[in-house]
Amino acid sequence: MRVPRRVWMLAAAGAALTYGRAVHRYRDPVRLARPGPGELLAPADGRVAFVRRVTGGRLDVPGLNGPLDAADLLGAPAGLADGWLLGVHVGVLDVRFVTSPLAGAVEAASFHGSRVNVPLAGPLAALTGPAGNLLAGRGTLENERLTLRLTGPDGTPVTLALVAPGRALNARRYVTPGDAVQAGVKLAFLPEGALVLLHVPEAFVPQVSVGGRVQAGLTPLARRGEQGPEGAPATV
């Protein structure tokens, strides 16, 4: 008996979905983190969604009525230092592990819940990366998030926030406050993907531009006291 083409197509789609959910998202490629002097490495695989300047604890975001409080966005204590806020969108095809951007220690870890999680962007964003201004979206502002604060040996403070993509974050955290970490060490796993926010002090300059792809533990995301690509980072 001849099996209709439609049945084969449905079976192939089901097999691809099963592979993606059960196998592909758990892949763990071997990577050796080798940060250069003064470098902070990307904490996640994905596409750079934005690079924004933080001044006076706030950042200007097109589409919002006023400045955005960076500490509120990150789930961090008030009084966040001037610097940069970078966002990496982790899509369905990206490696889901979050790694430490520097060697140092875990200072704090906290989870911030939400009554409801809404999609960060449109349905195609999971494959192609987000388009438009993610920072002005309701999901970025309101979805649940896991916040990790790290400190380097020289006192460099770095804050990470893992924002739910539109469903429960379900992040698996591998570190606790007081743990010592090396650059590239796994901090968490994101089974559903996420938007990974990273705040770095003003002594560092972003080395990536909006729309570029980065790899956790490999791509230099920021470097102390140097110019970004072609003289300055592209901000969106």
Side-chain angles (χ1 to χ4, degrees):
M1 182 178 69
R2 183 179 180 183
V3 179
R5 179 181 297 179
R6 185 176 181 181
V7 174
W8 284 113
M9 292 176 64
L10 290 173
L17 180 62
T18 299
Y19 174 80
R21 296 290 296 178
V23 179
H24 187 73
R25 65 174 173 171
Y26 293 106
R27 70 192 188 283
D28 184 9
V30 176
R31 295 176 181 175
L32 181 60
R34 292 179 175 175
E39 283 185 347
L40 299 177
L41 300 180
D45 280 31
R47 192 176 298 276
V48 179
F50 49 81
V51 180
R52 303 295 300 180
R53 192 77 167 86
V54 177
T55 304
R58 297 179 177 274
L59 59 158
D60 293 322
V61 180
L64 295 181
N65 293 329
L68 186 63
D69 188 287
D72 285 347
L73 181 66
L74 290 162
L80 201 65
D82 290 352
W84 294 91
L85 181 71
L86 301 94
V88 177
H89 183 265
V90 182
V92 297
L93 299 180
D94 294 315
V95 173
R96 308 294 179 85
F97 289 99
V98 176
T99 62
S100 179
L102 79 173
V106 180
E107 293 294 326
S110 57
F111 178 79
H112 308 272
S114 175
R115 291 185 177 180
V116 61
N117 293 305
V118 300
L120 294 170
L124 290 180
L127 293 173
T128 63
N133 184 14
L134 264 188
L135 268 175
R138 181 185 170 194
T140 302
L141 301 176
E142 299 180 7
N143 285 5
E144 64 187 25
R145 62 205 61 209
L146 172 64
T147 302
L148 299 170
R149 289 191 288 127
L150 312 175
T151 303
D154 60 353
T156 299
V158 171
T159 302
L160 283 164
L162 319 180
V163 183
R167 58 188 70 87
L169 183 63
N170 293 327
R172 301 175 188 172
R173 177 163 57 93
Y174 301 134
V175 293
T176 58
D179 285 354
V181 295
Q182 295 297 319
V185 164
K186 294 181 181 67
L187 301 176
F189 177 72
L190 304 169
E192 307 299 338
L195 173 63
V196 177
L197 309 178
L198 176 68
H199 175 268
V200 303
E202 62 180 347
F204 291 83
V205 177
Q207 300 296 301
V208 295
S209 297
V210 173
R213 295 201 63 87
V214 296
Q215 290 183 294
L218 295 180
T219 307
L221 203 68
R223 185 173 292 124
R224 186 184 295 273
E226 292 196 9
Q227 292 292 322
E230 299 181 359
T235 61
V236 168

